[in-house]
Structure formats: C-alpha cells, structure tokens
Amino acid sequence: MNSTSPRRRFARAAVAGLALTGLLSACGGSGDGDSSASGPVTLPFWGWANGQDAVVKTFNASHKDVQLKYTKVTDQLTMQKQLTNAVKAGNAPCLVQNTAEYVTSWVSQGALADITKYVEPSRNKFNAGSWAGAQVQGKLYGVPTSSSPNFTIYRTDIFAKYGLKPPATWDDFIAVGKQLKKHGIKITNYAGEDPSTLEVLAMQAGAHWYAIDGNSWKVDFQDAGTLKAAKVIQDIIDNDLNSKLSFADYAAVQRNYDNGGTVTRQISTWQMAGMVQNFTKSDGKWALSPWPTFTGEAAKTPAGTNLTGSVTLVTKQCAHQQQAAEAALWMSTDASAVKTMASPETGNGVMPALADSGAYVDEAISAKLLGDNYEPAKKVVTDSLQTITADWTFGPNWTAMFTEMQAGWAKVVNKQETVADLLAHMQQWTVDDLKSRGISVTG
C-alpha cells in the first residue's frame, strides 16, 4: 500500500496450522533433489529488494562450495508472473523472494519444496509470526526474512502550514484530505494497478475474505468489515482526495511526494527506503504517526499484501534443495546480511524476521528523512508491532485472485465502477475459480 518477538503478533497465512484435507488442490514437494551432490553448485535466486545484490556478493565471498546467481525482478507482482512462467517451463530458480500471502498459492500449485527438515532446527532464531508465514499445514516452504510494522508518514511542514494534525482516524483522514484539496494537495495516492489499499483496510476492519469452514474454504468479499473499508476508500475517491500515479513510473511517484503534491503514506519501514534514496527537497520534513483507526475502535494495524513479512522460498524444481535452504537461512540470520537489508540506505529498510527484530528499529528508519522527528518515530514503529492483525487467511488461489482484482481496481480508481461493484465481482469470481481448481468452497 501507498503498504517481532514471540510476544508480538504478526499477520500470517492462517492455513499454516491446518490439518485438513481437500483444502489445497496440490501440495509442495518434499524431495531432497540432488541435495547430497558435492559442490560447487550454483543456486539461481530471484528477488526485487534493494540490497540483495550486496548480500549475495558477501555470501559468495564466504562460501566456496555454494554460489548464488542473483537476478533482480521489478517488483513482487512481476515476480508472480515470471515465476508462473518459469514453473510451467520447468526452469524455476532455486530461491525466490516472496511475501507471505503468496505461499499458500504456490504450495497449492505444487511449485515449492518442503524444506522443514533443513530449517526446523533454526526455529528459535525467528519470531513466531514470521516463522508461521513460511508454513502451510505445518510444513515449511521457505525461510522468513522480514517483519512489517506499519504506520503513517506525513509532511510536517505542509501540515503545519495549514494548521493540520496527523489523522488519528479514517474519518479524520478524509476531513484532512478535504482541507488539503483546497490547496491543490492530495492526501494519498492510489495506484491503479495496486488494490492492496482495499485489502489492508478490509483486514484492519476485521474482514475475512477467506476462512476455513469444515473441509471447505469459505469466501466472503462482502462482509461488514470489507464494506466498512470500502466506504472509506469510496469517500476518498468520490471527493478526489487521492493522486492516481502508477508505480510503473516510480520516479514520478517519488517526485510527487518530494514536491509536496501528495503528503501522506500508510507504509512500513521498507517503503521508506525509496524515499530516502530519491528525495532531494524534503529530507527532515517527514514524521511518523500511528496507522489511522476506524472511529471508536482500538488501534489495529494491518499486515497484508506487500506489507507482510517476506520469505525466501525454495522451489520444488531446485536440484539442490538442502543447499538452497541453508543459503536462505544464512541470508536471514547472518549479522552483516541482516544489517545491510535493515538499513534504508544500503538495503530495503526491512525489519528482520529474527526473534529480536525490535532491536533493529534504529537501522530500519532514517534520520536523514525524519530529521528532528527521528527519535519519536522509534516509538511509533515499536508500538505498531503490538497491534498488527493476527487473524487473516490467505487463500489457495491468492495470486490469481489478486490479479483479477487489479483489473477491477483500475476501474475503481478511474471512477468507472464503485468499490461495491468490484467486491460483488470478486465474490463470484473467487468462488468460481476455486471450484474450477477442484477445491471445495462455500460462499
């Protein structure tokens, strides 16, 4: 969206602990591949995060028998498309950066390897929520790489100029947006290709697009929580409070924020990296505030879509699954690798998935970007880890569903249809799609 320790909660694929049958049309492989082969071996690794190339260089310099061959993909949505093609062609890479919401989809397609026996001994190194995000039905298909605290970042100078306070609720958000509109300023940006805005607000509002009902999946894109989220989004769009800049032109999006054309984002630490690396005018003029709440409700921050923790997945087609699992573990636990990725200057500003991830807040936010607001920002980040949604389920056709939703979201942003229209379509489409895959479904 324009998106811990064992004591903390983290959104995850709730199917991780299921012991049910018939919920997935297929399951990931558990074969060892050629895991006993002597080195040196080369492991293709696809990812999109800044800093991964530096981590790969450090890994290769310190490992004689295993080498990583890194390919940078444009973004996570492009990754799903390219990985689909690679799996079909039989040439999938060994290691793939991804986020938790896609794990179930890839397992259901038989694309991932069960690497439980290789990584289970390292469980205590990771926080419980991030660890769960790499699982489906109790089996591990990857290694967690990051957690995702979420919050609002806003332009302090522009808010002060017009006597505005950072919005505490979504009602406040809309009211502030209307005030900013009078001065030709947008409060947020809705990229036409990115419906994660709808997902994360629905998650925060208590929605459950997918749930388990006995031995079936239950689908509901029109529950009370989703409709509450839809109203907020529709009000923002109807009142023209949002920019409509596509992340396909990433530089233009960043210039717009830097120039003050759009002045808030609901983000996590990793999204600050692009701001740090691209801003030339507004350094020191940004501050953090808590994610807005729904009026009358307690603080609750979502962790869906690109706001979830990342995982490094091992594919079933990999001939060296043990080495791949061990390489993924190294990238998530080596002190230098973790520090590189945590910094918005050298990496992607991600909070690590480690048990002591809170210790990396200093690394994951930028004094350059926040200026005098740097110290107060630490508490906002730490507090957000305490309120993250923990009861969201990612369905087995999530990749296909999200792709379908993208097309409808573009129409919503351009006022060609309403959010309610999109939700009605997604309800019927998702039920039909699951049935076509031979997956039991109600809804």
Side-chain angles (χ1 to χ4, degrees):
M1 183 180 176
N2 308 345
S3 78
T4 49
S5 75
R7 298 185 300 275
R8 292 167 179 156
R9 300 187 303 272
F10 190 79
R12 66 181 189 271
V15 296
L18 295 176
L20 303 173
T21 58
L23 293 173
L24 301 175
S25 60
C27 60
S30 58
D32 295 342
D34 189 17
S35 61
S36 61
S38 59
V41 298
T42 298
L43 306 174
F45 170 33
W46 290 3
W48 65 80
N50 293 331
Q52 284 179 332
D53 52 349
V55 170
V56 166
K57 289 179 181 177
T58 302
F59 177 91
N60 288 341
S62 59
H63 291 76
K64 177 175 63 175
D65 296 329
V66 179
Q67 297 283 284
L68 297 175
K69 183 179 179 181
Y70 181 64
T71 299
K72 188 166 186 177
V73 178
T74 304
D75 52 45
Q76 72 163 351
L77 299 181
T78 302
M79 173 68 80
Q80 313 317 317
K81 297 173 184 177
Q82 293 187 356
L83 183 56
T84 295
N85 294 334
V87 169
K88 289 179 179 178
N91 58 3
C94 276
L95 293 164
V96 181
Q97 179 191 358
N98 227 298
T99 48
E101 73 265 30
Y102 292 108
V103 177
T104 309
S105 293
W106 288 117
V107 171
S108 73
Q109 296 175 56
L112 304 183
D114 175 4
I115 59 170
T116 306
K117 65 181 178 180
Y118 304 130
V119 300
E120 178 67 31
S122 298
R123 173 193 288 266
N124 290 339
K125 295 181 180 180
F126 297 89
N127 68 65
S130 296
W131 185 258
Q135 296 183 70
V136 176
Q137 294 182 282
K139 296 180 180 180
L140 287 149
Y141 296 90
V143 176
T145 61
S146 68
S147 301
S148 187
N150 302 300
F151 41 80
T152 299
I153 190 167
Y154 68 98
R155 279 286 293 268
T156 56
D157 57 331
I158 294 176
F159 270 64
K161 180 177 180 179
Y162 298 114
L164 302 172
K165 295 180 179 180
T169 68
W170 288 113
D171 287 340
D172 293 341
F173 192 83
I174 292 169
V176 170
K178 290 178 178 178
Q179 291 299 312
L180 291 167
K181 179 184 176 182
K182 297 176 182 179
H183 307 287
I185 299 169
K186 304 295 187 181
I187 194 168
T188 192
N189 181 61
Y190 288 167
E193 73 277 8
D194 185 10
S196 62
T197 299
L198 176 57
E199 178 196 343
V200 294
L201 262 68
M203 180 187 296
Q204 181 190 9
H208 296 281
W209 291 354
Y210 294 87
I212 305 302
D213 182 12
N215 287 327
S216 298
W217 287 94
K218 181 179 179 181
V219 173
D220 193 350
F221 282 80
Q222 297 170 302
D223 61 6
T226 303
L227 296 179
K228 182 163 59 175
K231 183 180 185 306
V232 170
I233 293 169
Q234 196 66 60
D235 283 349
I236 291 170
I237 291 174
D238 287 347
N239 287 284
D240 297 313
L241 309 182
N242 60 296
S243 300
K244 296 187 289 185
L245 298 175
S246 170
F247 283 100
D249 191 348
Y250 186 72
V253 174
Q254 297 295 356
R255 283 195 303 272
N256 181 258
Y257 284 114
D258 198 22
N259 292 333
T262 306
V263 293
T264 79
R265 297 180 71 185
Q266 277 74 46
I267 60 172
S268 187
T269 54
W270 66 267
Q271 288 150 311
M272 296 171 69
M275 304 171 81
V276 172
Q277 294 161 5
N278 289 277
F279 287 1
T280 60
K281 300 178 180 178
S282 61
D283 284 338
K285 298 177 181 178
W286 295 87
L288 305 188
S289 66
W291 189 282
T293 65
F294 289 95
T295 300
E297 296 186 8
K300 186 178 181 183
T301 53
T305 188
N306 54 0
L307 303 183
T308 59
S310 291
V311 293
T312 303
L313 301 173
V314 177
T315 67
K316 189 176 181 181
Q317 293 175 6
C318 180
H320 307 283
Q321 292 172 14
Q322 180 174 353
Q323 289 96 328
E326 291 170 351
L329 277 170
W330 184 94
M331 288 190 287
S332 289
T333 59
D334 176 78
S336 65
V338 171
K339 186 173 181 179
T340 294
M341 296 306 296
S343 169
E345 280 81 17
T346 61
N348 220 36
V350 297
M351 292 283 286
L354 299 175
D356 63 345
S357 59
Y360 289 83
V361 172
D362 288 5
E363 297 286 345
I365 62 176
S366 170
K368 175 187 175 186
L369 182 67
L370 299 170
D372 292 341
N373 303 303
Y374 174 73
E375 289 297 329
K378 294 179 184 179
K379 186 176 187 303
V380 174
V381 175
T382 302
D383 287 350
S384 75
L385 290 168
Q386 307 292 336
T387 60
I388 296 177
T389 308
D391 59 351
W392 181 261
T393 300
F394 296 113
N397 66 339
W398 187 271
T399 303
M401 182 282 293
F402 197 82
T403 300
E404 180 68 17
M405 184 176 280
Q406 282 182 280
W409 176 253
K411 295 178 181 178
V412 168
V413 170
N414 289 311
K415 297 185 177 182
Q416 296 171 339
E417 67 179 34
T418 66
V419 183
D421 293 335
L422 173 59
L423 292 171
H425 170 73
M426 292 310 304
Q427 176 68 31
Q428 188 61 54
W429 186 94
T430 305
V431 170
D432 291 345
D433 183 68
L434 288 172
K435 288 179 178 178
S436 73
R437 297 168 187 262
I439 297 174
S440 180
V441 58
T442 61

